[in-house]
């Protein structure tokens, strides 16, 4: 395994086109695109890594897997009154379908859907309380108490998040928002600004590898059926309008983030986290 990962890291190091960093969030625009990290966590507890696997990065939309898991735990199937579970085929921050679909987002991974999920799990609490619960949950999943939020990234997005504000206000115009919009958006930006390294992220995904149980800690996180369903959603729309292409080329449930990370699950085999900012 280590040889394979080293070979991949070597191949990547020779590539000249490293893509482009997300430039609409100023803090992310400043990240060096030449960095690369890859970690593979196995149910046996072994973790193999290559590249800068200790470097923290902004997990951004990968966090939506964790909030979705929390939301299903709190609300069960009634979550689906708030968001759909169909691919959107549109970019992550698109607003167009909302108009025709009465302010109900297609799925929990597009921005509108993720904002609706935050609104649904806030349940009258303060953003801080919700975020504390989310961080605790992710620390529990990754078995690592050092995971925190990068406040600078959250504030950077808060200052420039006109598109997400539009999505939230548009949903509110259909009566689809229960809480104060600024509170929901504040929580959403902080959720996206969670900083993790590839090793922590790969470990946090382990519960989706072994039928809902983290095989390393022995803790059941969700039922086998729910783990299978979360994987199904990741496969169908974890990469928004690029989901078909990702499924075709990679063939694994995955969730991307504009920080350049991807979490991919090989059921019964491994949880894989990769980071390449561009
Ligand atoms: N795809 C993403 O990672 C988008 C998340 C980002 N925080 C946004 O709301 O625009």
């Amino acid at each position: 395994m280590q040889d394979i990962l080293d070979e991949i890291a070597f191949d990547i190091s020779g590539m000249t086109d490293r893509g482009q960093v997300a430039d609409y969030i100023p803090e992310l625009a400043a990240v060096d695109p030449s960095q690369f990290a890859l970690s593979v966590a196995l149910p046996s507890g072994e973790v193999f890594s290559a590249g800068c696997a200790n470097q923290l990065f902004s997990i951004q939309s990968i966090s939506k897997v964790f909030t979705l898991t929390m939301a299903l735990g709190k609300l069960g199937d009634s979550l689906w009154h708030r968001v759909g579970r169909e691919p959107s085929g549109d970019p992550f921050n698109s607003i167009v379908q909302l108009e025709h679909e009465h302010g109900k987002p297609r799925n929990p991974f597009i921005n509108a859907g993720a904002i609706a999920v935050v609104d649904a799990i806030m349940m009258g609490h303060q953003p801080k309380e919700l975020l504390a619960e989310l961080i605790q949950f992710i620390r529990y999943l990754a078995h690592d108490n050092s995971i925190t939020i990068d406040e600078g990234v959250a504030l950077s997005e808060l200052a420039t998040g006109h598109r997400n504000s539009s999505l939230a206000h548009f949903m509110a115009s259909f009566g689809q928002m229960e809480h104060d919009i600024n509170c929901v958006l504040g929580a959403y930006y902080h959720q996206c600004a969670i900083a993790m390294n590839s090793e922590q992220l790969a470990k946090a995904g382990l519960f989706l590898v072994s039928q809902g149980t983290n095989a390393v800690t022995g803790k059941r996180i969700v039922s086998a059926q729910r783990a299978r369903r979360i994987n199904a959603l990741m496969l169908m729309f974890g990469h928004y309008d690029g989901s078909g292409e990702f499924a075709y080329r990679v063939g694994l449930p995955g969730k991307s983030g504009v920080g350049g990370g991807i979490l991919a699950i090989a059921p019964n085999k491994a949880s894989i986290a990769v980071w390449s900012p561009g």
Side-chain angles (χ1 to χ4, degrees):
M1 177 71 81
Q2 190 60 52
D3 289 348
I4 297 170
L5 300 197
D6 288 340
E7 200 180 312
I8 294 169
F10 179 76
D11 287 350
I12 297 284
S13 68
M15 288 182 178
T16 47
D17 181 6
R18 307 301 284 264
Q20 280 168 353
V21 292
D23 56 5
Y24 73 100
I25 301 174
E27 284 280 311
L28 298 184
V31 177
D32 172 9
S34 70
Q35 299 175 90
F36 175 76
L38 172 61
S39 293
V40 177
L42 305 182
S44 64
E46 289 168 291
V47 183
F48 297 91
S49 292
C52 47
N54 295 319
Q55 175 69 43
L56 296 175
F57 61 90
S58 192
I59 68 167
Q60 291 294 318
S61 286
I62 303 168
S63 63
K64 295 169 183 175
V65 174
F66 306 124
T67 44
L68 170 66
T69 305
M70 248 174 75
L72 287 169
K74 285 176 186 290
L75 303 168
D77 278 340
S78 67
L79 176 70
W80 305 120
H81 297 305
R82 295 294 310 273
V83 283
R85 42 176 195 259
E86 294 294 342
S88 72
D90 276 333
F92 67 95
N93 57 1
S94 174
I95 201 167
V96 292
Q97 285 165 350
L98 279 180
E99 180 165 12
H100 300 293
E101 298 176 4
H102 314 288
K104 180 179 174 180
R106 274 283 172 99
N107 68 62
F109 292 158
I110 52 173
N111 283 12
I115 292 167
V117 168
V118 172
D119 186 46
I121 56 177
M122 209 161 232
M123 298 166 139
H125 294 291
Q126 294 299 315
K128 270 198 173 144
E129 296 169 316
L130 178 65
L131 290 165
E133 194 181 343
L134 175 62
I135 281 289
Q136 269 319 109
F137 181 51
I138 293 176
R139 287 176 177 174
Y140 181 71
L141 292 178
H143 204 50
D144 186 329
N145 279 333
S146 68
I147 297 165
T148 53
I149 293 172
D150 184 331
E151 191 71 21
V153 172
L155 296 181
S156 173
E157 193 170 5
L158 192 68
T160 54
H162 303 299
R163 180 69 71 105
N164 288 321
S165 297
S166 306
L167 295 171
H169 282 283
F170 203 52
M171 288 190 282
S173 76
F174 288 96
Q176 292 275 6
M177 295 287 287
E178 286 168 12
H179 298 87
D180 177 81
I181 288 175
N182 290 328
C183 288
V184 174
L185 286 172
Y188 170 73
Y189 292 137
H190 281 79
Q191 151 198 335
C192 290
I194 291 169
M196 293 170 81
N197 61 39
S198 63
E199 244 187 73
Q200 293 168 329
L201 187 57
K203 286 191 199 162
L206 274 171
F207 76 102
L208 293 171
V209 175
S210 306
Q211 291 85 35
T213 296
N214 182 326
V216 178
T217 59
K219 306 276 190 215
R220 173 161 295 285
I221 311 296
V222 296
S223 68
Q225 182 191 56
R226 183 159 291 162
R228 195 169 65 238
R229 287 176 164 174
I230 293 169
N231 282 331
L233 303 181
M234 289 168 72
L235 186 69
M236 284 192 297
F237 43 74
H239 286 74
Y240 322 109
D241 50 342
S243 299
E245 186 66 16
F246 187 83
Y248 182 79
R249 287 172 55 183
V250 179
L252 298 175
K255 183 73 210 79
S256 62
V258 289
I262 294 176
L263 173 66
I265 305 299
N268 300 315
K269 291 194 166 67
S271 170
I272 304 153
V274 61
W275 176 56
S276 169

